[in-house]
Amino acid sequence: MMNKWIERGSNVIMNTYSQFPIVIEKGNGVYLWDSEGKKYLDFVAGIAVNALGYNDPDYVKQISLQLTKLQHCSNLYWMIPSIELSEILVQNSCFDKVFYCNSGAEAVEAAIKLSRKYGKKHHGENCYEIITMKKSFHGRTMATVTATGQTKYQKGFDPLVPGFSYVEFNNFDDLEEAVSEKTCAIIIEPIQGEGGIHPAEKSYLKKVRSLCDNNDIVLIFDEVQCGIGRTGQLFAYQLFNIKPDVVSLAKGLGGGFPIGAMLAVQSKADAFQPGDHASTFGGNQLACTAGKVVLNKLLNKGILENVQNQGKYLKEKLIKLKDKYDTITDVRGHGLILGIELDCSVKDIVVECMNKGLLILGAGENVIRFVPPLIIGKNEIDKGLEILEGVIQHIQK
Ligand SMILES: Cc1ncc(COP(=O)(O)O)c(C=O)c1O
């Protein structure tokens, strides 16, 4: 039956993903089941999305309840769930205002547009350039794929959007040299996700903050992947203790419901006026209800603490694995956004783990990324790493 689904899917779904040959049908906690009933331990979480895992009773209840009231109404009117979610975001961050959209790319796109408006308003028409980092990932729309500092995602889509330049990540001299009076924004992932789990250095971010302050440049943190509890703090910037002017969020914010958000401090948020930016579904009632449940649980039910504890435990275990197997050359990351670098392609390891009931994720050619649901426990980490070690042992032979 599974093959039948795959055949039907291949006939009608555009060929952009090179899917693994399994059909995922349902989930519970940190486990998923395929259409033939095989169970998988999930260290992928929909690529850092399912913060609360699957089937969380509060999540199901609150969204179901909202569905019986109202599923959508336009931003022409005020909506209660989006007001409430914004209050939680603002009260627990350094930001003052929220703009909602539906995905990470749209959140970054909104940040790019806000920065350009701010630059032009305060520093003239030529202040529109945005500096981004090599190895970064910011999305697949034309502006965000341009912002992405990896040519492999841009091939075939030129001409790209003008006004972007790329510098070495964690290299302050390179960045300082690239800044000019045309620079309106610098965009950084505090932990590069798709690029291979590369955390920023705190001292680097501190210098970047001063550079932006001295030149009135908008500092954007793209926390689409590393935000919303992933590092053990609600926002990744809190881990580094460096406050950006703007942040982009998505993925974990809805815990599986599509939502994106761009948050800004007041002085930057003021650059947007009615009509400057919009999204039909932005701030949708169901999406914002999902966001409320996720944030309430992260903040009040010990989930951030769980990320800190389990993240530490997982990292320690990964370091032990590295000490044991030469093929592992590095362990990186914070909280539950961790990666191990190998001296070989990780593709076969990912497939073999899947066959043995563990879903893990690559990040580039030779990095395995760990972004499990934030509710994961010690036993599940032990179980997952037992499978992974078995596969690595086999491959190293
Ligand atoms: C840091 C970062 N920004 C933006 C995006 C794009 O998000 P989306 O796929 O929701 O458009 C991603 C997706 O992986 C991401 O990791």
Side-chain angles (χ1 to χ4, degrees), residues 47 102-106 108 137-140 189 193-194 222-225 248 250-251 369:
I47 315 193
N102 317 284
S103 66
E106 285 172 85
V108 177
F137 184 86
H138 299 295
R140 304 289 198 141
E189 287 165 86
E194 300 297 316
D222 181 354
E223 296 201 12
V224 165
Q225 188 158 158
S248 51
K251 289 190 182 277
R369 177 171 23 164

mmCIF file with all atom_site columns, all heavy atoms in Angstrom, residues 47 102-106 108 137-140 189 193-194 222-225 248 250-251 369, ligand 1:
data_model
loop_
_atom_site.group_PDB
_atom_site.id
_atom_site.type_symbol
_atom_site.label_atom_id
_atom_site.label_alt_id
_atom_site.label_comp_id
_atom_site.label_asym_id
_atom_site.label_entity_id
_atom_site.label_seq_id
_atom_site.pdbx_PDB_ins_code
_atom_site.Cartn_x
_atom_site.Cartn_y
_atom_site.Cartn_z
_atom_site.occupancy
_atom_site.B_iso_or_equiv
_atom_site.pdbx_formal_charge
_atom_site.auth_seq_id
_atom_site.auth_comp_id
_atom_site.auth_asym_id
_atom_site.auth_atom_id
_atom_site.pdbx_PDB_model_num
ATOM   1   N N   . ILE A 1 47  ? 11.522 19.216 10.803 1.00 0.00 ? 47  ILE A N   1
ATOM   2   C CA  . ILE A 1 47  ? 12.630 20.194 10.696 1.00 0.00 ? 47  ILE A CA  1
ATOM   3   C C   . ILE A 1 47  ? 12.408 21.341 11.700 1.00 0.00 ? 47  ILE A C   1
ATOM   4   O O   . ILE A 1 47  ? 12.084 22.475 11.337 1.00 0.00 ? 47  ILE A O   1
ATOM   5   C CB  . ILE A 1 47  ? 12.866 20.716 9.261  1.00 0.00 ? 47  ILE A CB  1
ATOM   6   C CG1 . ILE A 1 47  ? 12.834 19.564 8.238  1.00 0.00 ? 47  ILE A CG1 1
ATOM   7   C CG2 . ILE A 1 47  ? 14.201 21.482 9.201  1.00 0.00 ? 47  ILE A CG2 1
ATOM   8   C CD1 . ILE A 1 47  ? 13.350 19.903 6.854  1.00 0.00 ? 47  ILE A CD1 1
ATOM   9   N N   . ASN A 1 102 ? 3.129  33.613 7.249  1.00 0.00 ? 102 ASN A N   1
ATOM   10  C CA  . ASN A 1 102 ? 2.802  32.185 7.272  1.00 0.00 ? 102 ASN A CA  1
ATOM   11  C C   . ASN A 1 102 ? 3.990  31.239 7.221  1.00 0.00 ? 102 ASN A C   1
ATOM   12  O O   . ASN A 1 102 ? 3.811  30.033 7.259  1.00 0.00 ? 102 ASN A O   1
ATOM   13  C CB  . ASN A 1 102 ? 1.885  31.857 6.092  1.00 0.00 ? 102 ASN A CB  1
ATOM   14  C CG  . ASN A 1 102 ? 0.825  32.917 5.929  1.00 0.00 ? 102 ASN A CG  1
ATOM   15  O OD1 . ASN A 1 102 ? -0.128 32.949 6.695  1.00 0.00 ? 102 ASN A OD1 1
ATOM   16  N ND2 . ASN A 1 102 ? 1.003  33.808 4.971  1.00 0.00 ? 102 ASN A ND2 1
ATOM   17  N N   . SER A 1 103 ? 5.185  31.774 7.069  1.00 0.00 ? 103 SER A N   1
ATOM   18  C CA  . SER A 1 103 ? 6.352  30.893 6.915  1.00 0.00 ? 103 SER A CA  1
ATOM   19  C C   . SER A 1 103 ? 7.615  31.655 7.291  1.00 0.00 ? 103 SER A C   1
ATOM   20  O O   . SER A 1 103 ? 7.595  32.886 7.451  1.00 0.00 ? 103 SER A O   1
ATOM   21  C CB  . SER A 1 103 ? 6.472  30.435 5.458  1.00 0.00 ? 103 SER A CB  1
ATOM   22  O OG  . SER A 1 103 ? 6.772  31.550 4.643  1.00 0.00 ? 103 SER A OG  1
ATOM   23  N N   . GLY A 1 104 ? 8.713  30.918 7.338  1.00 0.00 ? 104 GLY A N   1
ATOM   24  C CA  . GLY A 1 104 ? 9.989  31.539 7.657  1.00 0.00 ? 104 GLY A CA  1
ATOM   25  C C   . GLY A 1 104 ? 10.443 32.507 6.583  1.00 0.00 ? 104 GLY A C   1
ATOM   26  O O   . GLY A 1 104 ? 10.906 33.617 6.870  1.00 0.00 ? 104 GLY A O   1
ATOM   27  N N   . ALA A 1 105 ? 10.311 32.078 5.330  1.00 0.00 ? 105 ALA A N   1
ATOM   28  C CA  . ALA A 1 105 ? 10.745 32.948 4.235  1.00 0.00 ? 105 ALA A CA  1
ATOM   29  C C   . ALA A 1 105 ? 9.984  34.275 4.270  1.00 0.00 ? 105 ALA A C   1
ATOM   30  O O   . ALA A 1 105 ? 10.579 35.347 4.083  1.00 0.00 ? 105 ALA A O   1
ATOM   31  C CB  . ALA A 1 105 ? 10.527 32.250 2.895  1.00 0.00 ? 105 ALA A CB  1
ATOM   32  N N   . GLU A 1 106 ? 8.701  34.196 4.544  1.00 0.00 ? 106 GLU A N   1
ATOM   33  C CA  . GLU A 1 106 ? 7.913  35.435 4.597  1.00 0.00 ? 106 GLU A CA  1
ATOM   34  C C   . GLU A 1 106 ? 8.312  36.315 5.780  1.00 0.00 ? 106 GLU A C   1
ATOM   35  O O   . GLU A 1 106 ? 8.231  37.544 5.690  1.00 0.00 ? 106 GLU A O   1
ATOM   36  C CB  . GLU A 1 106 ? 6.422  35.104 4.721  1.00 0.00 ? 106 GLU A CB  1
ATOM   37  C CG  . GLU A 1 106 ? 5.791  34.618 3.449  1.00 0.00 ? 106 GLU A CG  1
ATOM   38  C CD  . GLU A 1 106 ? 4.392  34.132 3.736  1.00 0.00 ? 106 GLU A CD  1
ATOM   39  O OE1 . GLU A 1 106 ? 3.461  34.954 3.753  1.00 0.00 ? 106 GLU A OE1 1
ATOM   40  O OE2 . GLU A 1 106 ? 4.233  32.926 3.973  1.00 0.00 ? 106 GLU A OE2 1
ATOM   41  N N   . VAL A 1 108 ? 11.350 36.520 7.021  1.00 0.00 ? 108 VAL A N   1
ATOM   42  C CA  . VAL A 1 108 ? 12.611 37.168 6.625  1.00 0.00 ? 108 VAL A CA  1
ATOM   43  C C   . VAL A 1 108 ? 12.328 38.240 5.572  1.00 0.00 ? 108 VAL A C   1
ATOM   44  O O   . VAL A 1 108 ? 12.890 39.351 5.622  1.00 0.00 ? 108 VAL A O   1
ATOM   45  C CB  . VAL A 1 108 ? 13.622 36.122 6.087  1.00 0.00 ? 108 VAL A CB  1
ATOM   46  C CG1 . VAL A 1 108 ? 14.890 36.805 5.606  1.00 0.00 ? 108 VAL A CG1 1
ATOM   47  C CG2 . VAL A 1 108 ? 13.958 35.092 7.159  1.00 0.00 ? 108 VAL A CG2 1
ATOM   48  N N   . PHE A 1 137 ? 21.091 30.419 5.600  1.00 0.00 ? 137 PHE A N   1
ATOM   49  C CA  . PHE A 1 137 ? 19.880 30.023 4.869  1.00 0.00 ? 137 PHE A CA  1
ATOM   50  C C   . PHE A 1 137 ? 18.737 30.893 5.364  1.00 0.00 ? 137 PHE A C   1
ATOM   51  O O   . PHE A 1 137 ? 18.489 30.983 6.564  1.00 0.00 ? 137 PHE A O   1
ATOM   52  C CB  . PHE A 1 137 ? 19.546 28.544 5.095  1.00 0.00 ? 137 PHE A CB  1
ATOM   53  C CG  . PHE A 1 137 ? 18.370 28.105 4.278  1.00 0.00 ? 137 PHE A CG  1
ATOM   54  C CD1 . PHE A 1 137 ? 18.532 27.666 2.967  1.00 0.00 ? 137 PHE A CD1 1
ATOM   55  C CD2 . PHE A 1 137 ? 17.077 28.172 4.792  1.00 0.00 ? 137 PHE A CD2 1
ATOM   56  C CE1 . PHE A 1 137 ? 17.441 27.288 2.185  1.00 0.00 ? 137 PHE A CE1 1
ATOM   57  C CE2 . PHE A 1 137 ? 15.977 27.800 4.021  1.00 0.00 ? 137 PHE A CE2 1
ATOM   58  C CZ  . PHE A 1 137 ? 16.171 27.354 2.716  1.00 0.00 ? 137 PHE A CZ  1
ATOM   59  N N   . HIS A 1 138 ? 18.028 31.532 4.412  1.00 0.00 ? 138 HIS A N   1
ATOM   60  C CA  . HIS A 1 138 ? 16.939 32.423 4.819  1.00 0.00 ? 138 HIS A CA  1
ATOM   61  C C   . HIS A 1 138 ? 15.628 32.157 4.105  1.00 0.00 ? 138 HIS A C   1
ATOM   62  O O   . HIS A 1 138 ? 14.662 32.890 4.335  1.00 0.00 ? 138 HIS A O   1
ATOM   63  C CB  . HIS A 1 138 ? 17.370 33.880 4.631  1.00 0.00 ? 138 HIS A CB  1
ATOM   64  C CG  . HIS A 1 138 ? 18.557 34.252 5.464  1.00 0.00 ? 138 HIS A CG  1
ATOM   65  N ND1 . HIS A 1 138 ? 18.521 34.270 6.847  1.00 0.00 ? 138 HIS A ND1 1
ATOM   66  C CD2 . HIS A 1 138 ? 19.828 34.584 5.126  1.00 0.00 ? 138 HIS A CD2 1
ATOM   67  C CE1 . HIS A 1 138 ? 19.715 34.614 7.312  1.00 0.00 ? 138 HIS A CE1 1
ATOM   68  N NE2 . HIS A 1 138 ? 20.527 34.804 6.301  1.00 0.00 ? 138 HIS A NE2 1
ATOM   69  N N   . GLY A 1 139 ? 15.579 31.166 3.201  1.00 0.00 ? 139 GLY A N   1
ATOM   70  C CA  . GLY A 1 139 ? 14.299 30.846 2.573  1.00 0.00 ? 139 GLY A CA  1
ATOM   71  C C   . GLY A 1 139 ? 14.404 30.745 1.068  1.00 0.00 ? 139 GLY A C   1
ATOM   72  O O   . GLY A 1 139 ? 15.500 30.841 0.497  1.00 0.00 ? 139 GLY A O   1
ATOM   73  N N   . ARG A 1 140 ? 13.255 30.549 0.431  1.00 0.00 ? 140 ARG A N   1
ATOM   74  C CA  . ARG A 1 140 ? 13.241 30.223 -0.999 1.00 0.00 ? 140 ARG A CA  1
ATOM   75  C C   . ARG A 1 140 ? 12.518 31.241 -1.878 1.00 0.00 ? 140 ARG A C   1
ATOM   76  O O   . ARG A 1 140 ? 12.350 30.998 -3.064 1.00 0.00 ? 140 ARG A O   1
ATOM   77  C CB  . ARG A 1 140 ? 12.567 28.865 -1.191 1.00 0.00 ? 140 ARG A CB  1
ATOM   78  C CG  . ARG A 1 140 ? 13.198 27.736 -0.408 1.00 0.00 ? 140 ARG A CG  1
ATOM   79  C CD  . ARG A 1 140 ? 14.540 27.349 -0.979 1.00 0.00 ? 140 ARG A CD  1
ATOM   80  N NE  . ARG A 1 140 ? 14.904 26.027 -0.500 1.00 0.00 ? 140 ARG A NE  1
ATOM   81  C CZ  . ARG A 1 140 ? 15.511 25.107 -1.238 1.00 0.00 ? 140 ARG A CZ  1
ATOM   82  N NH1 . ARG A 1 140 ? 15.841 25.367 -2.477 1.00 0.00 ? 140 ARG A NH1 1
ATOM   83  N NH2 . ARG A 1 140 ? 15.807 23.936 -0.734 1.00 0.00 ? 140 ARG A NH2 1
ATOM   84  N N   . GLU A 1 189 ? 21.877 34.447 11.296 1.00 0.00 ? 189 GLU A N   1
ATOM   85  C CA  . GLU A 1 189 ? 21.286 33.369 12.099 1.00 0.00 ? 189 GLU A CA  1
ATOM   86  C C   . GLU A 1 189 ? 22.209 33.190 13.313 1.00 0.00 ? 189 GLU A C   1
ATOM   87  O O   . GLU A 1 189 ? 23.389 32.844 13.129 1.00 0.00 ? 189 GLU A O   1
ATOM   88  C CB  . GLU A 1 189 ? 21.301 32.044 11.332 1.00 0.00 ? 189 GLU A CB  1
ATOM   89  C CG  . GLU A 1 189 ? 20.330 31.899 10.199 1.00 0.00 ? 189 GLU A CG  1
ATOM   90  C CD  . GLU A 1 189 ? 20.725 30.701 9.331  1.00 0.00 ? 189 GLU A CD  1
ATOM   91  O OE1 . GLU A 1 189 ? 20.322 29.580 9.643  1.00 0.00 ? 189 GLU A OE1 1
ATOM   92  O OE2 . GLU A 1 189 ? 21.471 30.899 8.353  1.00 0.00 ? 189 GLU A OE2 1
ATOM   93  N N   . GLY A 1 193 ? 21.525 26.990 10.744 1.00 0.00 ? 193 GLY A N   1
ATOM   94  C CA  . GLY A 1 193 ? 20.912 25.658 10.761 1.00 0.00 ? 193 GLY A CA  1
ATOM   95  C C   . GLY A 1 193 ? 21.233 24.853 9.514  1.00 0.00 ? 193 GLY A C   1
ATOM   96  O O   . GLY A 1 193 ? 22.051 23.923 9.553  1.00 0.00 ? 193 GLY A O   1
ATOM   97  N N   . GLU A 1 194 ? 20.624 25.236 8.403  1.00 0.00 ? 194 GLU A N   1
ATOM   98  C CA  . GLU A 1 194 ? 20.809 24.490 7.146  1.00 0.00 ? 194 GLU A CA  1
ATOM   99  C C   . GLU A 1 194 ? 22.291 24.444 6.752  1.00 0.00 ? 194 GLU A C   1
ATOM   100 O O   . GLU A 1 194 ? 22.736 23.506 6.118  1.00 0.00 ? 194 GLU A O   1
ATOM   101 C CB  . GLU A 1 194 ? 20.023 25.138 6.003  1.00 0.00 ? 194 GLU A CB  1
ATOM   102 C CG  . GLU A 1 194 ? 18.524 25.218 6.202  1.00 0.00 ? 194 GLU A CG  1
ATOM   103 C CD  . GLU A 1 194 ? 17.871 23.864 6.313  1.00 0.00 ? 194 GLU A CD  1
ATOM   104 O OE1 . GLU A 1 194 ? 18.192 22.960 5.528  1.00 0.00 ? 194 GLU A OE1 1
ATOM   105 O OE2 . GLU A 1 194 ? 17.025 23.718 7.219  1.00 0.00 ? 194 GLU A OE2 1
ATOM   106 N N   . ASP A 1 222 ? 17.817 36.043 12.236 1.00 0.00 ? 222 ASP A N   1
ATOM   107 C CA  . ASP A 1 222 ? 16.880 35.072 11.683 1.00 0.00 ? 222 ASP A CA  1
ATOM   108 C C   . ASP A 1 222 ? 16.846 33.883 12.640 1.00 0.00 ? 222 ASP A C   1
ATOM   109 O O   . ASP A 1 222 ? 17.765 33.058 12.668 1.00 0.00 ? 222 ASP A O   1
ATOM   110 C CB  . ASP A 1 222 ? 17.328 34.646 10.277 1.00 0.00 ? 222 ASP A CB  1
ATOM   111 C CG  . ASP A 1 222 ? 16.352 33.641 9.653  1.00 0.00 ? 222 ASP A CG  1
ATOM   112 O OD1 . ASP A 1 222 ? 15.423 33.207 10.366 1.00 0.00 ? 222 ASP A OD1 1
ATOM   113 O OD2 . ASP A 1 222 ? 16.530 33.304 8.469  1.00 0.00 ? 222 ASP A OD2 1
ATOM   114 N N   . GLU A 1 223 ? 15.780 33.838 13.433 1.00 0.00 ? 223 GLU A N   1
ATOM   115 C CA  . GLU A 1 223 ? 15.623 32.758 14.421 1.00 0.00 ? 223 GLU A CA  1
ATOM   116 C C   . GLU A 1 223 ? 14.538 31.770 13.989 1.00 0.00 ? 223 GLU A C   1
ATOM   117 O O   . GLU A 1 223 ? 13.895 31.132 14.828 1.00 0.00 ? 223 GLU A O   1
ATOM   118 C CB  . GLU A 1 223 ? 15.306 33.347 15.797 1.00 0.00 ? 223 GLU A CB  1
ATOM   119 C CG  . GLU A 1 223 ? 16.419 34.205 16.369 1.00 0.00 ? 223 GLU A CG  1
ATOM   120 C CD  . GLU A 1 223 ? 16.345 34.372 17.881 1.00 0.00 ? 223 GLU A CD  1
ATOM   121 O OE1 . GLU A 1 223 ? 15.562 33.645 18.536 1.00 0.00 ? 223 GLU A OE1 1
ATOM   122 O OE2 . GLU A 1 223 ? 17.062 35.239 18.407 1.00 0.00 ? 223 GLU A OE2 1
ATOM   123 N N   . VAL A 1 224 ? 14.330 31.694 12.689 1.00 0.00 ? 224 VAL A N   1
ATOM   124 C CA  . VAL A 1 224 ? 13.292 30.783 12.192 1.00 0.00 ? 224 VAL A CA  1
ATOM   125 C C   . VAL A 1 224 ? 13.546 29.357 12.680 1.00 0.00 ? 224 VAL A C   1
ATOM   126 O O   . VAL A 1 224 ? 12.627 28.657 13.106 1.00 0.00 ? 224 VAL A O   1
ATOM   127 C CB  . VAL A 1 224 ? 13.212 30.845 10.651 1.00 0.00 ? 224 VAL A CB  1
ATOM   128 C CG1 . VAL A 1 224 ? 12.426 29.671 10.083 1.00 0.00 ? 224 VAL A CG1 1
ATOM   129 C CG2 . VAL A 1 224 ? 12.574 32.167 10.211 1.00 0.00 ? 224 VAL A CG2 1
ATOM   130 N N   . GLN A 1 225 ? 14.819 28.941 12.646 1.00 0.00 ? 225 GLN A N   1
ATOM   131 C CA  . GLN A 1 225 ? 15.126 27.574 13.062 1.00 0.00 ? 225 GLN A CA  1
ATOM   132 C C   . GLN A 1 225 ? 15.596 27.491 14.519 1.00 0.00 ? 225 GLN A C   1
ATOM   133 O O   . GLN A 1 225 ? 15.255 26.564 15.233 1.00 0.00 ? 225 GLN A O   1
ATOM   134 C CB  . GLN A 1 225 ? 16.201 26.980 12.132 1.00 0.00 ? 225 GLN A CB  1
ATOM   135 C CG  . GLN A 1 225 ? 16.435 25.521 12.364 1.00 0.00 ? 225 GLN A CG  1
ATOM   136 C CD  . GLN A 1 225 ? 17.048 24.777 11.185 1.00 0.00 ? 225 GLN A CD  1
ATOM   137 O OE1 . GLN A 1 225 ? 17.634 23.737 11.369 1.00 0.00 ? 225 GLN A OE1 1
ATOM   138 N NE2 . GLN A 1 225 ? 16.900 25.264 9.974  1.00 0.00 ? 225 GLN A NE2 1
ATOM   139 N N   . SER A 1 248 ? 13.171 37.247 12.943 1.00 0.00 ? 248 SER A N   1
ATOM   140 C CA  . SER A 1 248 ? 12.201 36.484 12.155 1.00 0.00 ? 248 SER A CA  1
ATOM   141 C C   . SER A 1 248 ? 11.972 35.144 12.832 1.00 0.00 ? 248 SER A C   1
ATOM   142 O O   . SER A 1 248 ? 12.929 34.498 13.281 1.00 0.00 ? 248 SER A O   1
ATOM   143 C CB  . SER A 1 248 ? 12.711 36.270 10.730 1.00 0.00 ? 248 SER A CB  1
ATOM   144 O OG  . SER A 1 248 ? 14.027 35.754 10.759 1.00 0.00 ? 248 SER A OG  1
ATOM   145 N N   . ALA A 1 250 ? 9.348  31.415 12.815 1.00 0.00 ? 250 ALA A N   1
ATOM   146 C CA  . ALA A 1 250 ? 8.338  30.571 12.141 1.00 0.00 ? 250 ALA A CA  1
ATOM   147 C C   . ALA A 1 250 ? 8.451  29.192 12.794 1.00 0.00 ? 250 ALA A C   1
ATOM   148 O O   . ALA A 1 250 ? 8.471  29.109 14.020 1.00 0.00 ? 250 ALA A O   1
ATOM   149 C CB  . ALA A 1 250 ? 8.567  30.510 10.634 1.00 0.00 ? 250 ALA A CB  1
ATOM   150 N N   . LYS A 1 251 ? 8.568  28.149 11.994 1.00 0.00 ? 251 LYS A N   1
ATOM   151 C CA  . LYS A 1 251 ? 8.782  26.775 12.458 1.00 0.00 ? 251 LYS A CA  1
ATOM   152 C C   . LYS A 1 251 ? 8.118  26.465 13.812 1.00 0.00 ? 251 LYS A C   1
ATOM   153 O O   . LYS A 1 251 ? 6.921  26.258 13.873 1.00 0.00 ? 251 LYS A O   1
ATOM   154 C CB  . LYS A 1 251 ? 10.278 26.462 12.478 1.00 0.00 ? 251 LYS A CB  1
ATOM   155 C CG  . LYS A 1 251 ? 10.862 26.318 11.051 1.00 0.00 ? 251 LYS A CG  1
ATOM   156 C CD  . LYS A 1 251 ? 12.263 25.767 11.082 1.00 0.00 ? 251 LYS A CD  1
ATOM   157 C CE  . LYS A 1 251 ? 12.899 25.658 9.715  1.00 0.00 ? 251 LYS A CE  1
ATOM   158 N NZ  . LYS A 1 251 ? 12.533 24.458 8.987  1.00 0.00 ? 251 LYS A NZ  1
ATOM   159 N N   . ARG A 1 369 ? 22.088 16.622 11.851 1.00 0.00 ? 369 ARG A N   1
ATOM   160 C CA  . ARG A 1 369 ? 21.479 17.653 12.689 1.00 0.00 ? 369 ARG A CA  1
ATOM   161 C C   . ARG A 1 369 ? 20.476 16.994 13.643 1.00 0.00 ? 369 ARG A C   1
ATOM   162 O O   . ARG A 1 369 ? 19.738 16.110 13.244 1.00 0.00 ? 369 ARG A O   1
ATOM   163 C CB  . ARG A 1 369 ? 20.770 18.604 11.733 1.00 0.00 ? 369 ARG A CB  1
ATOM   164 C CG  . ARG A 1 369 ? 20.011 19.705 12.309 1.00 0.00 ? 369 ARG A CG  1
ATOM   165 C CD  . ARG A 1 369 ? 19.540 20.713 11.272 1.00 0.00 ? 369 ARG A CD  1
ATOM   166 N NE  . ARG A 1 369 ? 19.423 20.285 9.878  1.00 0.00 ? 369 ARG A NE  1
ATOM   167 C CZ  . ARG A 1 369 ? 18.743 20.967 8.967  1.00 0.00 ? 369 ARG A CZ  1
ATOM   168 N NH1 . ARG A 1 369 ? 18.136 22.089 9.298  1.00 0.00 ? 369 ARG A NH1 1
ATOM   169 N NH2 . ARG A 1 369 ? 18.669 20.558 7.732  1.00 0.00 ? 369 ARG A NH2 1
HETATM 170 C C1  . LIG B 2 .   ? 17.026 30.176 9.395  1.00 0.00 ? 1   LIG B C1  1
HETATM 171 C C2  . LIG B 2 .   ? 15.907 29.946 8.425  1.00 0.00 ? 1   LIG B C2  1
HETATM 172 N N1  . LIG B 2 .   ? 15.302 31.000 7.857  1.00 0.00 ? 1   LIG B N1  1
HETATM 173 C C3  . LIG B 2 .   ? 14.291 30.856 6.980  1.00 0.00 ? 1   LIG B C3  1
HETATM 174 C C4  . LIG B 2 .   ? 13.839 29.606 6.625  1.00 0.00 ? 1   LIG B C4  1
HETATM 175 C C5  . LIG B 2 .   ? 12.709 29.456 5.659  1.00 0.00 ? 1   LIG B C5  1
HETATM 176 O O1  . LIG B 2 .   ? 11.579 28.998 6.329  1.00 0.00 ? 1   LIG B O1  1
HETATM 177 P P1  . LIG B 2 .   ? 10.340 28.416 5.510  1.00 0.00 ? 1   LIG B P1  1
HETATM 178 O O2  . LIG B 2 .   ? 10.761 27.122 4.928  1.00 0.00 ? 1   LIG B O2  1
HETATM 179 O O3  . LIG B 2 .   ? 9.259  28.275 6.545  1.00 0.00 ? 1   LIG B O3  1
HETATM 180 O O4  . LIG B 2 .   ? 9.980  29.420 4.474  1.00 0.00 ? 1   LIG B O4  1
HETATM 181 C C6  . LIG B 2 .   ? 14.434 28.462 7.196  1.00 0.00 ? 1   LIG B C6  1
HETATM 182 C C7  . LIG B 2 .   ? 14.000 27.123 6.813  1.00 0.00 ? 1   LIG B C7  1
HETATM 183 O O5  . LIG B 2 .   ? 14.639 26.135 7.029  1.00 0.00 ? 1   LIG B O5  1
HETATM 184 C C8  . LIG B 2 .   ? 15.499 28.640 8.115  1.00 0.00 ? 1   LIG B C8  1
HETATM 185 O O6  . LIG B 2 .   ? 16.113 27.599 8.676  1.00 0.00 ? 1   LIG B O6  1
#
